[in-house]
Amino acid sequence: MSQPPVARRLRVLAFDPSLATQLETAIINQLTLHVKWEELDKGPIGEYIEVIDYDPASGVFYEPVDLNHRYLLAQDGLQPSESDPQFHQQMVYAVAMVTIQNFERALGRVTFWSDHRVRLDSGDYVTQFVRRLRIYPHAIRDRNAYYSPSKKALLFGYFPVTRKDKDNVPGTLVFTCLSHDIIAHEVTHALLDGVHPRFNESTNPDVHAFHEAFADIVSLFQHFSYPEILEDQIRRTRGDLETENLLSQLAQQFGQATGRSGALRDALGTKNQNNKWEPRQPNAHALEESFAPHARGAILVAAVFRAFLLIYRLESADLFRIATNGTGSLPDGDIHPDLARRLSSEASICADRVLQMCIRAIDYCPPVDITFGDFLRGIITADMDYAPEDEDGYRIVFIQSFREWGIHPRKITRGHLKTFLIV
Ligand SMILES: [Zn+2]
């Protein structure tokens, strides 16, 4: 008998459906994800996830998709379609599984969902193992998507667009379950809850902000790990990821349709008075002014993103030197396709390393009362265990970037700092 395949290939939307209707982005809006092979029931229902497509607002159960159907196996799943609920089921399954895979690869172990706590008549609590996270792609008719720690479920909303402008047509339905970034963000909340259930207790201003920021960091760097998107973006930005590009505008359609710019987008930069996008400059006092979870979390995202940009700049310096004969300035016009490919490969490796460093850190964080400084300490300590030499200087880059944003580990003495910087 032959061996089962290594992966199941499934098509998803790379960004949001809105981008498929814009000429510039239509070509790259489809991705094929490689999901580790597992036996699946209709739903899909696998080892980690159970997709239940009940829409309470309409009282409808949508027919669950059968990803084992031979037609779907032969053509990488259903074709992306906004109007097909079965494609929505396929997409939430595929993106959620890739996020889980990234966690397991970084942590070097299997992941678990947080236990159910059940109160007995005696007043004592017992815990019950939760095998599968439930995902409801059409749970609410609302501009919202969230992880419910009590239901152990992700609930995605959908809503009609009411705004009318160049990006929106009134009446169009927006499905939050069709946004790669929203799915990855919500699954990360659930995965983090599985490791640290007490991060739901807001014992200091950083705790809730950390949950939001960490979910954004994972969705952002997971997106950067898809080389086909990177190559296209690098070609457009001529290798300079600090200029405006799609990757830094996550949850784009969601932000446009709700009339608010996404928190993550603000984390990386904003438009100035002339409507020109500018990267956000580090501010060591920002934490003293921002206490709302999203705004405060944006500071942590910005610190990690800056570390990534510095690492990418280090790793791509030789390629720029070769391409510019040492002058540092590229000739006008499109960059060579070979250069775009090599730069995107470097950027994708850097993004993956940053993603892994951030995920690995959660096993090194305190179980309660986390601060951004604790997270930095977790990143550095975990990476010291993983790569004791730090030949690439990534740890120094993280410390520098976090310091520029005013983030330091708690109770650190000068002696500690010395060890911290040397190792
Ligand atoms: Zn969130």
Side-chain angles (χ1 to χ4, degrees):
M1 169 134 168
S2 60
Q3 294 291 315
V6 177
R8 187 191 296 270
R9 289 189 303 273
L10 293 170
R11 288 180 283 178
V12 300
L13 291 168
F15 293 94
D16 302 300
S18 67
L19 296 190
T21 59
Q22 293 172 19
L23 192 60
E24 286 181 339
T25 46
I27 318 145
I28 55 155
N29 202 31
Q30 187 177 304
L31 272 180
T32 304
L33 299 183
H34 292 231
V35 178
K36 199 169 136 191
W37 180 265
E38 62 170 342
E39 295 303 327
L40 283 180
D41 287 332
K42 282 184 185 179
I45 301 172
E47 179 68 27
Y48 294 77
I49 284 171
E50 180 171 10
V51 178
I52 302 170
D53 207 356
Y54 177 59
D55 179 352
S58 329
V60 175
F61 258 112
Y62 295 108
E63 173 83 18
V65 66
D66 178 9
L67 293 180
N68 291 330
H69 193 286
R70 64 186 195 283
Y71 292 171
L72 299 190
L73 287 172
Q75 53 178 342
D76 303 346
L78 291 161
Q79 189 179 345
S81 157
E82 273 185 83
S83 57
D84 180 1
Q86 292 201 333
F87 170 71
H88 300 194
Q89 299 158 11
Q90 168 180 307
M91 172 137 180
V92 289
Y93 168 76
V95 176
M97 286 306 294
V98 166
T99 314
I100 294 167
Q101 281 166 212
N102 279 331
F103 268 72
E104 296 202 334
R105 190 162 51 95
L107 297 174
R109 58 173 172 79
V110 294
T111 51
F112 295 101
W113 309 114
S114 66
D115 288 330
H116 262 307
R117 289 187 82 216
V118 183
R119 193 165 189 270
L120 301 175
D121 292 341
S122 63
D124 295 334
Y125 283 91
V126 288
T127 53
Q128 285 175 349
F129 174 66
V130 174
R131 180 164 174 200
R132 296 188 185 97
L133 181 74
R134 291 183 164 183
I135 303 183
Y136 297 86
H138 308 102
I140 35 176
R141 217 172 260 187
D142 195 6
R143 303 176 176 204
N144 204 358
Y146 65 96
Y147 162 61
S148 163
S150 57
K151 294 191 176 106
K152 311 293 173 199
L154 307 185
L155 296 102
F156 291 91
Y158 64 94
F159 57 96
V161 174
T162 48
R163 286 155 61 90
K164 185 177 181 184
D165 54 34
K166 72 175 179 49
D167 297 318
N168 293 295
V169 180
T172 318
L173 284 179
V174 175
F175 295 96
T176 57
C177 70
L178 290 184
S179 161
H180 168 280
D181 305 313
I182 295 176
I183 304 168
H185 178 107
E186 301 307 334
V187 177
T188 302
H189 276 313
L191 286 162
L192 184 58
D193 190 40
V195 182
H196 291 298
R198 287 183 177 265
F199 282 9
N200 286 323
E201 297 167 16
S202 183
T203 46
N204 77 60
D206 280 0
V207 182
H208 275 170
F210 177 75
H211 236 292
E212 290 309 325
F214 186 70
D216 278 347
I217 289 165
V218 171
S219 71
L220 176 69
F221 289 101
Q222 185 162 300
H223 223 150
F224 272 68
S225 72
Y226 304 131
E228 30 307 40
I229 297 175
L230 275 176
E231 194 171 324
D232 186 81
Q233 289 304 303
I234 280 175
R235 207 167 37 73
R236 277 168 206 278
T237 57
R238 294 163 41 87
D240 181 4
L241 287 183
E242 273 182 84
T243 55
E244 181 170 23
N245 60 61
L246 288 173
L247 294 170
S248 61
Q249 296 182 32
L250 292 182
Q252 171 144 340
Q253 186 194 29
F254 192 59
Q256 281 168 358
T258 52
R260 67 177 175 89
S261 51
L264 190 54
R265 202 164 146 188
D266 287 345
L268 308 178
T270 43
K271 293 230 164 106
N272 64 16
Q273 298 124 323
N274 307 326
N275 215 21
K276 191 168 176 295
W277 193 86
E278 284 178 343
R280 193 171 171 190
Q281 293 305 316
N283 172 5
H285 298 287
L287 284 174
E288 295 155 21
E289 295 147 16
S290 308
F291 294 96
H294 278 100
R296 199 170 173 84
I299 295 166
L300 183 60
V301 180
V304 175
F305 191 69
R306 183 160 169 76
F308 163 71
L309 286 179
L310 293 172
I311 290 170
Y312 169 68
R313 211 177 284 160
L314 273 175
E315 297 292 347
S316 59
D318 56 346
L319 290 170
F320 275 107
R321 273 196 299 275
I322 296 167
T324 62
N325 281 329
T327 64
S329 55
L330 289 163
D332 290 342
D334 291 345
I335 62 172
H336 196 285
D338 289 348
L339 180 62
R341 204 167 305 122
R342 286 287 293 109
L343 286 172
S344 61
S345 146
E346 280 303 336
S348 144
I349 292 167
C350 295
D352 191 54
R353 182 78 199 279
V354 168
L355 177 65
Q356 301 271 311
M357 284 173 84
C358 290
I359 295 175
R360 207 173 291 121
I362 61 170
D363 268 357
Y364 290 70
C365 288
V368 288
D369 200 35
I370 185 164
T371 63
F372 292 173
D374 292 334
F375 180 53
L376 173 62
R377 193 196 294 264
I379 291 174
I380 303 300
T381 316
D383 198 63
M384 276 162 54
D385 279 352
Y386 176 76
E389 302 281 354
D390 194 24
E391 284 167 358
D392 305 315
Y394 288 5
R395 293 202 280 276
I396 301 290
V397 169
F398 263 89
I399 291 166
Q400 180 193 327
S401 171
F402 275 55
R403 191 174 50 221
E404 287 172 358
W405 278 102
I407 303 170
H408 314 273
R410 275 186 288 196
K411 293 182 189 156
I412 200 149
T413 64
R414 266 169 47 78
H416 278 116
L417 196 60
K418 206 171 148 203
T419 345
F420 212 59
L421 290 172
I422 288 170
V423 285

